[in-house]
Every structure is written in structure tokens, then in C-alpha cells.
Amino acid sequence: MLKLKFINWWSNGNDDFFKKFIENYMNIKTEIVDNNPDILFFSVFNKISPHQYVKNNPNIKIKVFFTGEDTTSRSSRGCGSDHYYVNFADISLGFKNIIHPNYIRFPLWITYINIEKFNMGRTCLPFNKLDNFKSNGYNDTLFCSIVSNHDSNNTRTKIIESLSKYKKINVGGGIANLLKKNNIPIIVKGAGKSINDKQNYLKKFKFNICSESSISDGYITEKLFECIIGGCIPIYYCDDNVMIEPEILNNDFIIKYNNNNIDSAVHKIKELDTNKEIYNKFIAQKPLNDNAYSEIIKCYDLLKSKLLQLFESKKLIYHN
């Protein structure tokens, strides 16, 4: 049995993807401990020094760093971790495209999507719903929603302002206060606090603005995937020439915009909203590429292989 510890994490690790990964994908039993774990997982939340923790717990064999935060954004909780601890951690995981022997690209959304066979992600975000998109419908749905707490990097307000001149947007989260302050007409309707609540909320809409709070190369979280699983057409902020997870997603299924091309994006949204034939043709596309499943498994296998190599090199003894 492997002993695990999570520090600077968003939870104690008991129900975490990486714990389940070791148990469900690698078939190794684990337990969470307070001191002297075999494997230390650490992230960017809180300010416990991982260096000091390792010094105080000499039995640690493997150190794994993970972040889903945009470490280039000043408003991010991960700001300042641009080095990703690649020279300290045995494995460093994140969204960036970094070439380093200790680094594996493992964006946050991979830890959210739940391939049912392995049951490691969020149960309300099943891969099957992502792979078999079912729209919420043309006639019996509300127009568009957004669920967000802020717009610190101005990636959301302008599209909402422009669309609101056509139809009001349903807004959940703290961003509603900013929009009201700017006299943008919206419908304030809470989406609940859990991911399950958000999925139930998304089922009511035709479109969803699921943009990230900041723009950085490779930075993709769960928002876009939640939108598609929720049955909405995604509206997503990005630079004109950016391909979003091209190995996984059919980018033709995403309505892309930025603050320089909002008019053309709004025109496309209006066209889909008013023309059922064009809408049906659009949603007939598959959101995922044909090889999406195998690409996710490649990420799993790369992490598994790296861990097994470390188990051997660090002479880590465990029992299934």
C-alpha cells in the first residue's frame, strides 16, 4: 500500500483524481497519511513550503507537482510558479508545453472528465456524454448562459454586452455584480455551488459562454468540457489562430471570439439561434475528434509509466 500526502491542495486528497489514478488505473492500494508519505503531491494553494516539508519528512520517495492554474496571470493563485518545480519535483504536471524530462503536460480538464471504465474523474462529467453530444434542443431552451465569479482579464464582459443587445444572457456567479455595475442588461439566475448544480443549470440553454479568465498558451480548464457535456454550444475566448486541444476537440464545434472580432462571433450566434436548419447542421458535428479517447489514454499511460520508473529507481516497495 502506498502512503500519500497532499499539501497546498484544494482538498485532503481522499477523493482526488490522482489517488484514484494510482488505485483504479495502476491497481495499487493507497492511504492518506499525515507524515512521512511515500509520495508527496503538492500544488499552488496555501503557502506550505514543499522544500521544508520534504526536509521534515525524510521518508518521501517521490514528489509530484500539479497545477491547473494559469501561473502567468497576476490574478491567479498559481502566479509565480512558472518554473513548475521541474528541478525539484520528480514529476511536474500542468497545462503548459514544457520540454523537460520531469514534465508531463496534464491539463486540469483531464482530471475532471470521467472515463467510466476507470472512474477517476467527476461522475457528472462522463466521457460518454462528451463523445455522444446531445444538444438541449432548438425550441425548448433558453438562449445563453455564463457561470463565472469575475472578469479580471476582460475576456467575458464585451461578448455579454454585445449579445445582450440581441437577447439577455442568464448569469450565475459574482460576475453579475460587475455587469450590473456597467448597466449591461442581464438575467441573474444562480447556478448553485457544485459541479452537479452547474450541469443541471447548463441543460436549460442553447449556448454557454465558457471562456477562461485569462489567456495563456495551452491553458484549458474544465469549463469548455462542462459546457459540451451540459448540451450547450460553446462560446470561447481565444486568439484567432489558436487551435484548442486539437488532438481532442473538433474546433469547428466551438464559436471562437476575442475582443477584436466580437461582431462576427455574435453574427454566427444569431444565425444559429434563428435558423433551425443551420443550427441542426452545426450540432450534427461531433465535438470530439475520432482519436480523442486514445489521446486521453496516452496521457494516462505516460503518467503511469513515469511513476513505475520512479518506483523502481527509488526502490519504492508497495503491495497491490
Side-chain angles (χ1 to χ4, degrees):
M1 182 177 290
L2 286 178
K3 294 181 288 185
L4 313 179
K5 175 68 176 179
F6 293 78
I7 65 169
N8 298 339
W9 216 256
W10 48 91
S11 71
N12 62 12
N14 273 315
D15 197 38
D16 191 81
F17 171 88
F18 293 104
K19 184 177 190 294
K20 292 179 179 178
F21 182 88
I22 294 172
E23 292 181 340
N24 299 0
Y25 200 71
M26 299 180 70
N27 297 313
I28 299 171
K29 293 180 180 180
T30 71
E31 64 174 332
I32 303 293
V33 297
D34 290 327
N35 300 300
N36 284 316
D38 299 310
I39 304 177
L40 173 67
F41 288 91
F42 66 103
S43 189
V44 298
F45 300 84
N46 302 321
K47 295 182 179 180
I48 300 171
S49 167
H51 300 81
Q52 188 62 46
Y53 187 88
V54 170
K55 185 177 180 180
N56 293 341
N57 292 267
N59 290 345
I60 292 172
K61 298 289 197 303
I62 298 171
K63 307 177 294 293
V64 180
F65 172 74
F66 171 74
T67 182
E69 298 289 310
D70 181 2
T71 57
T72 65
S73 171
R74 289 185 178 181
S75 62
S76 170
R77 284 166 289 196
C79 181
S81 297
D82 289 337
H83 55 296
Y84 268 41
Y85 294 92
V86 290
N87 295 315
F88 171 72
D90 299 291
I91 301 176
S92 179
L93 304 167
F95 67 87
K96 291 184 179 179
N97 296 296
I98 297 173
I99 298 175
H100 191 281
N102 292 350
Y103 182 76
I104 299 172
R105 184 172 184 268
F106 212 89
L108 181 65
W109 66 263
I110 290 181
T111 70
Y112 274 63
I113 299 306
N114 191 49
I115 294 179
E116 295 87 339
K117 178 180 177 181
F118 304 113
N119 191 29
M120 300 183 295
R122 308 297 174 96
T123 56
C124 63
L125 300 176
F127 179 85
N128 183 57
K129 279 193 175 182
L130 193 61
D131 196 34
N132 297 280
F133 175 77
K134 184 178 180 181
S135 79
N136 294 328
Y138 183 80
N139 295 317
D140 301 323
T141 51
L142 299 173
F143 171 52
C144 182
S145 66
I146 182 170
V147 180
S148 180
N149 285 322
H150 63 86
D151 191 23
S152 58
N153 289 301
N154 197 30
T155 60
R156 299 155 176 160
T157 301
K158 288 187 177 181
I159 188 76
I160 297 170
E161 182 177 22
S162 186
L163 278 176
S164 71
K165 295 172 184 176
Y166 167 61
K167 286 182 180 180
K168 289 183 180 179
I169 308 295
N170 280 252
V171 177
I175 193 175
N177 296 323
L178 170 66
L179 300 173
K180 287 190 292 183
K181 184 178 179 180
N182 290 335
N183 297 315
I184 298 173
I186 58 173
I187 301 168
V188 179
K189 188 170 179 60
K193 295 184 178 181
S194 72
I195 296 178
N196 280 308
D197 291 335
K198 185 175 181 180
Q199 282 301 297
N200 289 329
Y201 183 82
L202 291 174
K203 291 175 184 177
K204 303 171 185 176
F205 299 97
K206 193 181 297 183
F207 302 92
N208 175 249
I209 299 169
C210 52
S211 302
E212 306 294 352
S213 58
S214 58
I215 301 302
S216 184
D217 182 32
Y219 180 55
I220 309 292
T221 67
E222 75 284 357
K223 297 177 184 67
L224 181 53
F225 295 87
E226 286 177 336
C227 168
I228 296 170
I229 290 172
C232 303
I233 294 173
I235 303 170
Y236 193 85
Y237 187 104
C238 63
D239 292 333
D240 294 335
N241 60 346
V242 166
M243 292 296 287
I244 305 161
E245 298 290 8
E247 293 83 8
I248 305 294
L249 293 170
N250 170 16
N251 276 237
D252 291 336
F253 192 78
I254 303 166
I255 299 175
K256 299 178 181 179
Y257 75 96
N258 57 59
N259 289 335
N260 296 318
N261 72 350
I262 282 178
D263 288 345
S264 61
V266 169
H267 174 78
K268 185 172 184 178
I269 293 164
K270 287 180 181 179
E271 185 179 51
L272 289 167
D273 189 51
T274 56
N275 190 313
K276 188 173 183 179
E277 183 179 349
I278 294 175
Y279 173 85
N280 286 336
K281 185 177 180 180
F282 185 93
I283 63 169
Q285 304 175 89
K286 292 189 66 175
L288 295 186
N289 290 330
D290 290 340
N291 62 342
Y293 179 89
S294 62
E295 289 295 327
I296 294 173
I297 296 299
K298 279 183 186 178
C299 290
Y300 289 173
D301 286 344
L302 192 57
L303 177 56
K304 178 181 177 179
S305 175
K306 182 68 171 176
L307 282 168
L308 290 174
Q309 289 173 19
L310 286 167
F311 291 173
E312 183 175 356
S313 66
K314 303 281 186 177
K315 296 181 172 55
L316 180 54
I317 299 172
Y318 61 89
H319 301 285
N320 289 343

